[in-house]
Amino acid sequence: MFALESLASVGEKYENSSRVRKACDFFLAKQKEDGGWGESYKSCETSEYMHHAKSQVVQTCWALLGLMEAGFPDREPIERGIRLVMGRQKRNGEWEQEAIEGVFNKSCMVSYPNYKFIFPVKALGMFAKRYGDIEIL
């Protein structure tokens, strides 16, 4: 997500950058049936991508933000992810803390409690700004 945001800031988008297309293809290949994304912390131990058993809201938002920053032309996978994020929101407006979000030195797992607020709001806001107020749920 951060790399795609940076590349977009210098004009590299899906339409004109092979690097950006490759990143988007990676994200799309990892999207789960329910529309979300989720990587296990075990990826850091094995140095190979490992799906988490369940899609994670924060990681779904990271992928959505990356795809939107890249200007990915097909809204369908983005809408599927947005649907998952909205569907996991609690009645009080927040999202539950899910799995580990960070790993240092392949052995120190970290949760960032504010990520579950920051990234969903950012992804939902970006979606609304780019695509308008359409019905998702």
Side-chain angles (χ1 to χ4, degrees), residues 37-70:
W37 283 264
E39 182 181 13
S40 171
Y41 70 89
K42 293 180 181 190
S43 294
C44 288
E45 294 173 351
T46 64
S47 298
E48 205 170 296
Y49 187 94
M50 294 183 72
H51 281 286
H52 191 281
K54 182 179 174 187
S55 291
Q56 304 296 302
V57 168
V58 170
Q59 293 176 4
T60 295
C61 291
W62 290 339
L64 291 169
L65 289 163
L67 290 169
M68 288 188 283
E69 287 286 2

Side-chain angles (χ1 to χ4, degrees), residues 20-92:
V20 172
R21 285 190 297 278
K22 185 175 179 180
C24 290
D25 290 345
F26 174 84
F27 281 141
L28 295 173
K30 304 304 181 200
Q31 189 171 26
K32 295 166 95 53
E33 268 307 302
D34 63 6
W37 283 264
E39 182 181 13
S40 171
Y41 70 89
K42 293 180 181 190
S43 294
C44 288
E45 294 173 351
T46 64
S47 298
E48 205 170 296
Y49 187 94
M50 294 183 72
H51 281 286
H52 191 281
K54 182 179 174 187
S55 291
Q56 304 296 302
V57 168
V58 170
Q59 293 176 4
T60 295
C61 291
W62 290 339
L64 291 169
L65 289 163
L67 290 169
M68 288 188 283
E69 287 286 2
F72 185 72
D74 182 3
R75 277 184 23 193
E76 189 269 336
I78 297 169
E79 288 180 9
R80 288 178 55 224
I82 290 290
R83 215 172 275 115
L84 178 122
V85 173
M86 291 175 72
R88 295 257 185 99
Q89 190 173 20
K90 299 298 166 197
R91 292 186 75 151
N92 67 359

